[in-house]
Amino acid sequence: MKIFFQQPAIQSRLQLITQHRITGWEIWLQVEFSCFIDTHPGMGDWCREWQYSVDRRRTKTRQYIAIDFAFRRKHTSKDKYIALEVKQSLSTTQCIHNLFKDVEKVWHMKSSEDDLRNMWCLGIHPSSSQVEVRDTVMKYAKKYDFELDNGCIEYQLIEGTDWGFTLF
């Protein structure tokens, strides 16, 4: 993620998003990230909007869920993927909250379809303090009853912008 957000083109577009108060740019970011991972030398297979059936015993409201990205690195097991959920928001707190709602959504997946090795969440939000981000992530981890080690939270400012990203 650090390399992705160090790209001058991404930083420039994020500055334009701030200057023109553009909203709803999450899909743009996902397309840019798709282009980035497709050309990354360590990337094996990847898919955007990976569909999974839900366990109907856990939820009656939907039949399928879509994970923003499922990918695997080269030379890793061909049937085990890493999930990545992506959210952007003008509020750090709302961004992190929405990521935890996505984690909860993934927990409704049928175990027979669970070929995920692990799951990561990426939030892009206005720059904040490291302490504020960690406290917010841990607060929602507790609220959603998810076990999360404080050392698994990465927060970084995106150079030349008013944005930061949180990865956990």
Side-chain angles (χ1 to χ4, degrees):
M1 298 314 314
K2 290 177 185 178
I3 295 169
F4 174 73
F5 285 112
Q6 287 173 348
Q7 297 176 95
I10 298 299
Q11 294 172 352
S12 173
R13 288 181 185 115
L14 286 170
Q15 288 173 330
L16 283 172
I17 286 167
T18 301
Q19 289 170 357
H20 297 284
R21 297 184 175 151
I22 298 170
T23 59
W25 48 268
E26 184 178 312
I27 293 174
W28 161 78
L29 185 83
Q30 289 184 19
V31 170
E32 291 287 351
F33 186 68
S34 296
C35 295
F36 174 77
I37 63 174
D38 194 59
T39 59
H40 194 279
M43 188 59 60
D45 298 326
W46 66 274
C47 180
R48 187 170 167 271
E49 295 297 320
W50 184 284
Q51 296 283 318
Y52 278 101
S53 298
V54 298
D55 185 337
R56 300 294 283 172
R57 294 170 296 181
R58 294 182 184 165
T59 182
K60 304 285 187 214
T61 59
R62 57 174 66 183
Q63 290 184 314
Y64 299 97
I65 60 166
I67 295 174
D68 291 335
F69 287 95
F71 57 88
R72 65 173 190 81
R73 296 181 62 139
K74 284 184 179 175
H75 313 296
T76 59
S77 178
K78 291 191 184 284
D79 63 343
K80 297 289 183 186
Y81 285 81
I82 297 168
L84 176 68
E85 283 292 320
V86 180
K87 289 286 181 247
Q88 64 85 23
S89 179
L90 293 175
S91 161
T92 301
T93 302
Q94 189 63 47
C95 185
I96 292 168
H97 180 230
N98 290 343
L99 286 168
F100 274 97
K101 289 192 318 192
D102 278 354
V103 172
E104 187 176 53
K105 169 187 83 174
V106 171
W107 280 83
H108 291 143
M109 178 176 36
K110 273 187 182 177
S111 57
S112 61
E113 291 193 28
D114 182 4
D115 53 1
L116 297 175
R117 210 168 49 175
N118 56 41
M119 179 179 175
W120 289 89
C121 294
L122 171 66
I124 302 91
H125 49 77
S127 54
S128 303
S129 75
Q130 187 92 320
V131 172
E132 177 189 355
V133 170
R134 287 186 186 278
D135 288 350
T136 303
V137 171
M138 295 309 287
K139 175 182 92 172
Y140 281 108
K142 185 175 181 177
K143 177 181 176 178
Y144 281 88
D145 200 26
F146 293 130
E147 194 172 313
L148 181 65
D149 184 90
N150 203 12
C152 294
I153 305 165
E154 175 72 26
Y155 170 71
Q156 187 150 3
L157 294 172
I158 301 171
E159 188 178 328
T161 74
D162 294 333
W163 300 94
F165 72 88
T166 301
L167 184 69
F168 60 88

